Amino acid sequence: ASLPRPDLSTLKTLAELRTALESINTLGLKETAMSFVFGEGLATNPAVMLIGEAPGEEEDRTGQPYAGPVGQLLEKMLAAIG
């Protein structure tokens, strides 16, 4: 049997996407993850958008993307390129 999925084609904002993804209860990962790590920053017209891999231990613990030493390095790299 197929599992119910939200219709993502109707979503217009990142907030709507976050809500839709949080509502999915058929993923086993939700049972073991400590946090839902989605993203942060400007929701409209950002100058840059970074899409990374699955959250690691530090991201899961804090609920923030690019947390810990990896996030600090990313911040330095972005500052260096302006």
Side-chain angles (χ1 to χ4, degrees), residues 32-45:
T32 59
M34 295 177 1
S35 302
F36 177 73
V37 182
F38 180 74
E40 58 185 28
L42 297 174
T44 44
N45 299 322

Side-chain angles (χ1 to χ4, degrees), residues 2 4 7 12 24 47 58-59 64 72 79 82:
S2 65
D7 181 5
K12 304 278 189 244
I24 299 172
E58 188 71 16
E59 290 84 4
Q64 297 180 320
Q72 292 169 2

Side-chain angles (χ1 to χ4, degrees), residues 24-78:
I24 299 172
N25 293 315
T26 56
L27 300 174
L29 182 59
K30 281 186 114 172
E31 296 173 18
T32 59
M34 295 177 1
S35 302
F36 177 73
V37 182
F38 180 74
E40 58 185 28
L42 297 174
T44 44
N45 299 322
V48 176
M49 177 184 221
L50 302 173
I51 300 173
E53 62 185 356
E57 182 179 348
E58 188 71 16
E59 290 84 4
D60 187 34
R61 187 181 66 71
T62 64
Q64 297 180 320
Y66 304 106
V70 171
Q72 292 169 2
L73 177 59
L74 178 60
E75 290 288 334
K76 289 178 184 176
M77 291 168 62
L78 292 173

